Amino acid sequence: DAGVIQSPRHEVTEMGQEVTLRCKPISGHDYLFWYRQTMMRGLELLIYFNNNVPIDDSGMPEDRFSAKMPNASFSTLKIQPSEPRDSAVYFCASTRGGTGWATEAFFGQGTRLTVV
Amino acid sequence: SQKIEQNSEALNIQEGKTATLTCNYTNYSPAYLQWYRQDPGRGPVFLLLIRENEKEKRKERLKVTFDTTLKQSLFHITASQPADSATYLCALGNTGGFKTIFGAGTRLFVKA
């Protein structure tokens, strides 16, 4: 397996524009997570899905952020409108549940977002 | 609120020595704790998981301890090598849930 695949790797956009980040989880993994990483706040969980259903979105900072998972192999994180303070590295991760115990999460390479 | 604390200052050690990183937490009763390694420009990579009923876990040169009374985990790398230089993150989670929260990480530099 190629691992978790995120695109794009880098995104530079102007304030007010819509930004869409994409993620393809590892095949067979039924949990998918979106994280945001900044120097100030570290790695923050934004939202996670189980079997394509959002389970906990309490980490989504504002209504400007939305995430979808239309099928088991694809998820998007959208920011509309984007603001400079959204600049960060966004990671997608996936894992296989099953036992109820969290197993290791596999992270993608991340998308570095810069909003100017 | 739940809080995870890792040394914000970088840890510098000499090759061959044992590196010890600390993870403290408050207002939380985790069922498990994980350690990840992160290299610049890359996503975190899982290293070890230890459950609340386990005191110690080992994997090759890595050792993790978990003290739920002190609310602390120690992460040791023995016979450290320059290739061990990276940021190490600890993460906590609960049974039946997959909401893992991460510490900010500690940067480790191993000098040859």
Side-chain angles (χ1 to χ4, degrees):
Chain A
D1 202 317
V4 176
I5 300 173
Q6 292 186 246
S7 64
R9 288 295 311 277
H10 302 275
E11 176 81 38
V12 180
T13 190
E14 291 186 348
M15 183 173 63
Q17 296 297 306
E18 176 180 298
V19 175
T20 299
L21 311 181
R22 298 172 176 80
C23 175
K24 180 182 185 331
I26 293 173
S27 176
H29 283 188
D30 52 350
Y31 283 83
L32 182 140
F33 307 83
W34 282 101
Y35 286 90
R36 177 173 68 175
Q37 187 173 43
T38 61
M39 289 292 292
M40 290 296 294
R41 301 174 68 90
L43 197 61
E44 302 174 277
L45 177 64
L46 301 177
I47 184 172
Y48 76 93
F49 296 82
N50 176 218
N51 291 324
N52 315 336
V53 176
I55 302 301
D56 189 331
D57 65 354
S58 59
M60 297 285 261
E62 298 171 37
D63 291 345
R64 297 184 296 106
F65 286 70
S66 62
K68 293 182 180 179
M69 192 165 185
N71 57 62
S73 58
F74 184 66
S75 177
T76 60
L77 178 67
K78 186 178 293 186
I79 308 173
Q80 164 65 15
S82 58
E83 296 182 4
R85 59 196 168 115
D86 301 331
S87 297
V89 181
Y90 291 80
F91 287 103
C92 175
S94 70
T95 191
R96 181 183 291 119
T99 65
W101 287 100
T103 57
E104 59 182 291
F106 294 82
F107 283 77
Q109 297 276 50
T111 295
R112 180 173 294 278
L113 173 65
T114 303
V115 183
V116 298
Chain B
S1 62
Q2 299 164 351
K3 194 173 181 182
I4 302 175
E5 290 184 345
Q6 295 186 254
N7 278 353
S8 57
E9 291 185 13
L11 179 63
N12 291 281
I13 64 167
Q14 200 67 35
E15 182 177 12
K17 300 292 186 183
T18 296
T20 299
L21 285 68
T22 303
C23 175
N24 294 298
Y25 58 93
T26 55
N27 298 323
Y28 202 80
S29 296
Y32 64 87
L33 186 147
Q34 299 174 329
W35 283 89
Y36 286 79
R37 169 185 173 139
Q38 187 174 22
D39 292 286
R42 305 184 75 86
V45 175
F46 172 82
L47 296 175
L48 280 169
L49 178 150
I50 186 167
R51 297 194 169 99
E52 60 176 337
N53 59 349
E54 298 175 316
K55 297 294 185 186
E56 183 179 298
K57 206 81 169 279
R58 291 175 186 261
K59 180 182 177 183
E60 297 172 351
R61 295 185 296 112
L62 309 180
K63 185 179 85 171
V64 172
T65 63
F66 193 11
D67 189 326
T68 55
T69 301
L70 291 179
K71 293 187 181 297
Q72 180 182 79
S73 174
L74 298 178
F75 177 77
H76 306 272
I77 305 175
T78 58
S80 60
Q81 305 165 0
D84 295 327
S85 298
T87 296
Y88 291 86
L89 308 169
C90 74
L92 308 177
N94 273 323
T95 305
F98 289 79
K99 188 173 182 178
T100 303
I101 57 174
F102 281 79
T106 298
R107 190 77 193 271
L108 171 67
F109 292 98
V110 181
K111 293 181 285 188

